[in-house]
Every structure is written in structure tokens, then in C-alpha cells.
Amino acid sequence: MTIVLGLESSCDDTAAAIVRLGDGGAEILSSVVYGQTALHADFGGVVPEIAARAHAEKIDLCVEEALTKAGLGLGAMDAIAVTSGPGLIGGVLSGVMCAKGLGAGAGLPVIGVNHLAGHALTPRLTDGLRFPYLMLLVSGGHCQFLIVEGPDRFRRLGGTIDDAPGEAFDKTAKLLGLPQPGGPAVEGEARLGDPARFAFPRPLLDREGCDMSFSGLKTALLRARDAVVAEKGGLTVQDRRDLCAGFQAAVADVLTEKSRRALARYRGAGAEEPAFAVAGGVAANTALRARLEGLCADTGIRFVAPPLALCTDNAAMIAWAGIEKLRAGAVDPADLVARPRWPLDRAQPALLGSGKKGAKA
Amino acid sequence: MTRAETPILETTFVLPSPMATDTLAERIAEVLEPGDTILIDGPIGAGKSHFCRAAIRHLLDRDGRQENIPSPTFTLVQTYETGAGEVWHSDLYRLTDVSQVLELGLEEAFSSAIVLVEWPDRLGALAPRDALRISLTPTEEAEARRVTLSASGARWRKLAGILKGLATEPHLD
């Protein structure tokens, strides 16, 4: 049996969790997330918790609450896992310093975990997926396809060359006067709209491979909105619904087609139990989820989407990634160095922008 | 005070295409050095990130390097090591308070790094007075942008001549 305390403070939230791996499988004994709850609907975004001090003030309380909820003391832990990157360096450092302090005090090993590895390994915590599986990580700040080959082995097939879809949803909501966060607001409107009324582009669909681009969609949306306003002097409720439906259909089309290509490449990886897992806040979009589920049903591949609370930032995934590293004997002290940039797959060339230099190179 | 109030550059013209924006960004990037700050404003979709990516890509290309240049909207800051010095690409869209700018370490970066700032209105009084200001606005033409460059401060004398041909030629490559 292995019990690990996980800490996460690399982005907006501060979180602590305790995960146990026993004979019966993995179990989350507690998972505490301190937001970052102040949603500024009038401002157009979630206010970030950027202050290292704010993370530092909260993380001790998070750990205490996670231990209390699990009914365990630090002495019951086998190790402490902490996000050591990528992310805002102040936040990351707060977590790493706290973990090192606790580790020194309780005589526990401290494991540095890549935040993105935490997301990518979550389907093993929730659904026990076997390596290798295909992963689409799609959130406000990320969008990439990965073949997860092992606790420390990730092969990147492609990703966004500019904005992530979550950002595009937020900005669409902002442009149409809808509340934040934009994902649920745009989805709600889109349900009542006609996706065919406005012709939005499907960026990079004509280009081979799994790279994506979402930045141009917001410009297209802006143009379509302004054209309607110029024509009628304003937007009707139905105009807004149609714009949302058209935008969401474009995002879903791109993600579905690129997923199809990623699945085709993944089939060559020789998985015994092939599976496609989707994680990140945008995976909560039911229209998108239905499309991806349909795609998997067509191709006979298992579709997995962990519950939303484990798709967005949390510490249970960090504790779990720590357990994976312990089991694989892959604990490296160098991973404890806090770093703002830390790509999961260092072997793949960088994504190229759409500018002329990129196209030539 | 007086030094910062000396206008070096004040011009408005139309960039007919994204390629023209790339060219402008590359030419400006070519002369950047630590201590230079560029404040880029304009509405959503005006091409602020496009401009920043082109400038950063040029600096990385010069070193023969390829790196992802992700959107900093969620991470607030992305940093890059380049031959010209450290580059900070920041997007202050999500900030609400000037104190958060201090927490990000931007004020220190203004003197030690090349800093590109999107949504610079959030900087308030912390905006360096000798920054190069770039305003991008959409035009009637879908692909074209109107750009205003304004700089005061002797450090931007190095921009002399870089705008040659940009305003008139539709395609520069």
C-alpha cells in the first residue's frame, strides 16, 4: 500500500490531496482546492491568484484540511508529491518550499511532478487505463494530443499553435456580452442556435497532422458579429445563439477531425486495450464530448473522460503522479527544481506559428 | 521627465496583411535589447498576440531555435531566452489590480529584459514612460490593421528607417 500527499500551486488554485494505492486500486482519501472562486463576470475572465504569498498563506491550510478529511497524520504518508512546473514561478516555489519543509520535518521523500503529467495520468487514477493510451488535454491554457506511454514517457502528436480552446470560449463570451467563465455560457446559448447560419473557418484543417489554431476563430466571430450589428443596428437573442452555435461547431469540428488523425497515429502504437481520454475544462462541453464519443464508437476505441473535478486543476492528480513515479522507480531529485517551462515531450520539435518563418522552416 | 517627453516617433499607417504585421514585428525585434518595453494595445482580435509571436519567433530564429510561443493569457507571462536577452511576453488581460503587476515581477523585468505587454492599460502608473507604444485596430478590410507607433525616449532612435516601405507595399516578402 502506498499513501501520498500531493500539493498543487502552479496556477490559479491552491490544492492538497491524499491518494492511497492499495490492492483494491487507487482511492482519493481527500482532495481540497482553495479557489480562485472570485469570478468577475463583468470583467471577462477569472481573476488569477498570481501572488506567491497568497499561495503560501493557503497551502498550509490546504494540507491541514486534506489530512483532517482523510483522518491521517503526516506520519502515515509514504511520500509528498508537489507540482514543480510548469507555471508561474512564484506559485510553484510556494508549493515546492512547503513540500520540502514538510518532507524534512516528517522525514518523507519529496517528489517533483510535472503539472501536465498530473493531468495526463489522471485517467489511470479514475479508470485504470493501461499504457499506451491517447490523451487530449484541452483547457483554458492547454490543447495537445499525447500518447501516454509511461509515467514519464509522453509522445506529443500535436497541439495548438496559438490560443487554447478554453481561451477562445472565454473571449467569445466576452465579445458577445455573455458571463464568465465562457464555456458554459457559450454552450448554453449554442444549444438554441443554428450552427449553419454563420460560416466560421476551420483553421489548419487543410494542413496535415494534429496541430490546431484557434486564434483566428475569435477574429471571425468578431467580424460576423459586427456585420450583423452594422446591418440591424444590434444583436438579437437569436443572433447571439446562432453565433455561439457556429463558433462551437467550428471548435468541435476541428477537435474531432484532429482527434481522428491522432487516433489513426495512435493505432500504430500497438495498445492491447486502446483508449482515448479527454481531460481539461473544455472536456465538460457536452456537444464536443458527444462528437468525440461518437468518433470512438465508430473506431471501436474506449472513450474516457474523468469527472470534471479531476479534469481541472487539483492535487489528487499530483499525488497520483507521485505514486506512479514511486512505482516506476522514476523519482529524480532534479525534478524538484521549480521551473516555469517544462514540456512533457522534449523530443518533439516545437509547434510552428502560422507566420511566414514558421511555414518555411 | 523631459527626456521621456521628447517624441521620437509618432506615426499611423495601415498594415495590409498579417505578413506585413510580421515584417514590422521582425524589423522592430531586430533592434531590441534589454530595457526595451513595448506596450501593445487594441481590442480582442486586433492582432496583438500575432505581433508578439512574430517578434519572438524572429529573435528565436536568429539563434537557430524553435520553441512554442503559447498564448500568455492564462499563464500571464511566458519568458524566452534569446541571443538579444531575456524576453518576457505578458498578457495582463486577467489582472485587476496594479499590485498584481508587482507580484509578477514585471517592474524588475522592465529594466533587465525585453518586455512585450498586451493589455498594458492594467499597468497604470507602472508603465515605463520610455516604452514603445503600438496600437492595433481593425479596418474595413478583414486582413488589414491600422497601426499607430509612438515612442518617446532616446532609446528608440534606433527605429529610424525601419518603417521604410512598410506602409505602401502590400506584400513585403
Side-chain angles (χ1 to χ4, degrees):
Chain A
M1 192 173 74
T2 310
I3 305 181
V4 170
L5 165 68
L7 305 183
E8 156 66 40
S9 57
S10 65
C11 198
D12 290 350
D13 301 321
T14 317
I18 294 164
V19 176
R20 175 172 65 195
L21 177 67
D23 295 336
E27 190 185 354
I28 299 168
L29 301 182
S30 62
S31 181
V32 179
V33 179
Y34 282 13
Q36 228 335 44
T37 46
L39 300 177
H40 281 227
D42 54 339
F43 172 67
V46 176
V47 176
E49 192 60 271
I50 56 173
R53 190 185 57 245
H55 279 301
E57 280 168 3
K58 283 193 255 180
I59 199 147
D60 295 3
L61 300 171
C62 266
V63 169
E64 196 174 23
E65 193 178 327
L67 288 168
T68 307
K69 281 191 171 164
L72 295 171
L74 263 184
M77 302 298 124
D78 292 297
I80 299 169
V82 61
T83 303
S84 51
L88 277 177
I89 197 70
V92 172
L93 272 173
S94 313
V96 170
M97 297 314 283
C98 175
K100 282 183 171 171
L102 291 172
L108 292 171
V110 181
I111 306 165
V113 167
N114 182 311
H115 175 85
L116 297 172
H119 281 300
L121 294 168
T122 297
R124 282 171 56 77
L125 165 67
T126 55
D127 296 84
L129 290 193
R130 304 264 306 267
F131 299 124
Y133 54 93
L134 179 67
M135 180 90 203
L136 168 60
L137 193 56
V138 57
S139 65
H142 298 286
C143 184
Q144 53 184 327
F145 289 105
L146 297 162
I147 295 179
V148 186
E149 297 172 332
D152 243 351
R153 285 210 319 278
F154 307 91
R155 189 143 57 89
R156 181 181 172 128
L157 301 181
T160 179
I161 62 168
D162 42 51
D163 299 351
E167 182 177 340
F169 270 98
D170 280 350
K171 288 191 172 164
T172 292
K174 170 82 177 166
L175 290 170
L176 297 177
L178 292 166
Q180 299 288 325
V186 171
E187 184 181 0
E189 294 287 302
R191 209 168 285 136
L192 304 163
D194 171 12
R197 178 172 158 205
F198 296 99
F200 288 117
R202 269 58 173 164
L204 296 194
L205 218 52
D206 56 340
R207 209 192 281 184
E208 275 184 44
C210 300
D211 284 348
M212 292 162 280
S213 164
F214 296 98
S215 165
L217 261 180
K218 71 178 182 245
T219 316
L221 180 102
L222 196 61
R223 298 241 152 230
R225 181 201 70 176
D226 290 349
V228 174
V229 170
E231 185 194 332
K232 301 185 187 175
L235 279 187
T236 66
V237 170
Q238 193 57 44
D239 290 334
R240 185 158 77 178
R241 289 170 179 163
D242 294 344
L243 284 166
C244 285
F247 163 81
Q248 181 174 279
V251 172
D253 274 358
V254 170
L255 284 169
T256 306
E257 176 54 28
K258 296 290 178 171
S259 295
R260 184 193 311 280
R261 296 181 198 177
L263 280 165
R265 286 175 64 182
Y266 165 66
R267 270 195 289 275
E272 282 176 28
E273 297 172 22
F276 179 32
V278 183
V282 179
N285 183 291
T286 46
L288 171 65
R289 198 186 273 230
R291 295 280 303 275
L292 297 179
E293 259 176 303
L295 178 67
C296 283
D298 290 347
T299 47
I301 284 175
R302 183 178 170 199
F303 178 81
V304 170
L308 188 61
L310 292 172
C311 277
T312 51
D313 289 352
N314 67 88
M317 68 178 191
I318 302 304
W320 172 252
I323 290 176
E324 292 261 31
K325 280 185 135 183
L326 275 177
R327 282 205 297 178
V331 176
D332 182 349
D335 286 346
L336 255 186
V337 177
R339 57 190 103 175
R341 291 167 78 80
W342 189 359
L344 276 180
D345 182 352
R346 286 159 182 278
Q348 295 295 314
L351 303 177
L352 295 171
S354 53
K356 59 177 184 180
K357 286 274 173 68
K360 245 188 272 174
Chain B
M1 195 92 179
T2 47
R3 184 184 65 101
E5 283 169 359
T6 312
I8 294 288
L9 179 69
E10 180 74 55
T11 181
T12 297
F13 55 97
V14 169
L15 293 161
S17 67
M19 281 86 79
T21 304
D22 287 347
T23 304
L24 174 65
E26 287 160 14
R27 289 191 192 173
I28 292 174
E30 187 62 33
V31 298
L32 290 178
E33 55 200 326
D36 289 345
T37 296
I38 305 182
L39 309 178
I40 306 119
D41 65 39
I44 290 177
K48 299 181 295 298
S49 291
H50 183 97
F51 177 91
C52 291
R53 281 199 181 96
I56 294 165
R57 194 160 54 237
H58 180 74
L59 292 172
L60 292 171
D61 274 357
R62 233 171 36 175
D63 302 343
R65 284 168 51 208
Q66 291 182 3
E67 266 190 62
N68 297 333
I69 308 173
S71 165
T73 299
F74 270 75
T75 55
L76 305 172
V77 175
Q78 298 280 352
T79 58
Y80 303 85
E81 295 295 335
T82 78
E86 193 179 23
V87 176
W88 284 47
H89 179 198
S90 66
D91 180 339
L92 308 184
Y93 185 68
R94 300 200 297 146
L95 299 197
T96 49
D97 192 302
V98 168
S99 70
Q100 295 173 313
V101 173
L102 297 175
E103 296 280 1
L104 274 181
L106 263 184
E107 206 187 17
E108 281 169 61
F110 287 146
S111 54
S112 63
I114 295 165
V115 186
L116 310 175
V117 183
E118 298 184 43
W119 299 96
D121 55 311
R122 318 284 203 259
L123 285 172
L126 292 175
R129 265 180 304 184
D130 63 349
L132 170 64
R133 290 177 179 270
I134 300 182
S135 264
L136 291 164
T137 45
T139 64
E140 292 298 307
E141 286 292 316
E143 295 277 276
R145 297 290 183 272
R146 182 167 290 105
V147 60
T148 299
L149 301 177
S150 54
S152 41
R155 64 165 63 245
W156 296 108
R157 290 223 166 86
K158 59 194 172 188
L159 291 178
I162 68 152
L163 302 178
K164 220 174 152 189
L166 259 178
T168 49
E169 293 171 42
H171 293 289
L172 288 141
D173 53 334

